[in-house]
Amino acid sequence: EVQLLESGGGSVHPGGSLRLSCAASGFSFSSYAMTWVRQAPGKGLEWVSSLTSSGDYTDFADSVKGRFSISRDNSLNTLYLYMNTLRAEDTAIYYCARNYAGNRQACFDIWGQGTMVTVSS
Amino acid sequence: ETVLTQSPATLSLSPGEGVTLSCRASQSVGRYLAWYQHKPGQAPRLLIYESYNRATGIPARFSGSGSGTDFTLTISSLQPEDFAVYYCQQRNSWPLTFGGGTKVEIK
């Protein structure tokens, strides 16, 4: 079964850091670009960051540029999101998603269940 | 940034009814538009990609159309499991963007 499972969410103070992980299974992880999408409480979906299959190219939303980084370990079939200098407005469910057909600029055909990040003092 | 505007924000309908949702882009996205269904506590589900192609396993009652700046998602006959929030998303240009969503609720 094709599956994505996020972990690493939790509560953190403003200015803090957190690392999210996304474990992939059931498909050839190293062949697909991957993405993080978030949903703030009561809001819609927001694209956060994408990473090519090799990890050579990354893209970020302006709202997180310079504070978040993305990486992957294809030997572990795992995607990461490193979140630094967290703000209250980063509070959201963070979803890991597979880029359709492996494309860098894509829609997303497989999603995880999400992990909640709460930034509060 | 390409802004996607979905309308209406909420629809109240009964099972069996048909519905058409709208997504308008602030600039042309060609046919690079997708639709998702999202239920509370669940992962979003890809319904339609490249404007009109149904994703794997999506029932034929879901159909998409449009190009350029105007797109629609049609559900021919609402089933109980179709009540959810629907989002459009463009992949034509960075940053990738989503519409604000349309909630389809039971009347």
Side-chain angles (χ1 to χ4, degrees):
Chain A
E1 180 188 4
V2 175
Q3 195 169 7
L4 297 171
L5 184 62
E6 302 94 336
S7 61
S11 293
V12 61
H13 293 304
S17 299
L18 214 53
R19 185 191 78 168
L20 304 184
S21 300
C22 170
S25 58
F27 66 98
S28 179
F29 178 73
S30 62
S31 297
Y32 287 85
M34 298 292 294
T35 290
W36 289 96
V37 174
R38 68 184 180 184
Q39 183 178 36
K43 303 295 185 182
L45 300 173
E46 178 190 17
W47 169 76
V48 174
S49 180
S50 295
L51 178 69
T52 54
S53 58
S54 62
D56 288 348
Y57 294 96
T58 61
D59 298 278
F60 295 92
D62 284 347
S63 58
V64 306
K65 201 170 291 183
R67 300 187 298 122
F68 289 14
S69 62
I70 187 173
S71 69
R72 64 193 296 158
D73 187 332
N74 286 341
S75 68
L76 295 178
N77 293 337
T78 302
L79 176 73
Y80 302 100
L81 184 68
Y82 299 86
M83 304 185 294
N84 298 311
T85 320
L86 282 161
R87 306 167 179 167
E89 54 265 35
D90 296 318
T91 294
I93 299 171
Y94 284 74
Y95 295 99
C96 167
R98 187 179 82 171
N99 289 29
Y100 180 73
N103 295 330
R104 176 182 172 189
Q105 208 166 317
C107 59
F108 315 113
D109 63 343
I110 304 295
W111 295 66
Q113 292 294 318
T115 187
M116 183 70 203
V117 172
T118 302
V119 184
S120 173
S121 55
Chain B
E1 172 176 324
T2 301
V3 176
L4 299 179
T5 301
Q6 292 189 241
S7 61
T10 305
L11 279 167
S12 298
L13 297 163
S14 300
E17 289 192 270
V19 62
T20 297
L21 311 183
S22 172
C23 177
R24 178 163 289 177
S26 60
Q27 57 190 300
S28 176
V29 300
R31 286 199 175 274
Y32 296 130
L33 190 105
W35 291 93
Y36 301 87
Q37 178 190 71
H38 194 199
K39 298 178 183 179
Q42 297 188 18
R45 178 189 183 197
L46 177 66
L47 300 174
I48 302 287
Y49 63 96
E50 316 302 56
S51 174
Y52 59 84
N53 295 287
R54 271 191 300 277
T56 302
I58 301 304
R61 65 180 181 273
F62 292 92
S63 62
S65 66
S67 65
T69 61
D70 290 296
F71 299 84
T72 59
L73 173 71
T74 298
I75 310 172
S76 59
S77 176
L78 281 164
Q79 301 301 299
E81 62 269 27
D82 298 337
F83 292 92
V85 179
Y86 292 84
Y87 293 96
C88 56
Q89 177 242 327
Q90 65 83 21
R91 72 171 189 93
N92 182 67
S93 62
W94 298 105
L96 307 181
T97 50
F98 289 87
T102 291
K103 182 179 182 180
V104 178
E105 62 180 23
I106 299 177
K107 188 173 182 180

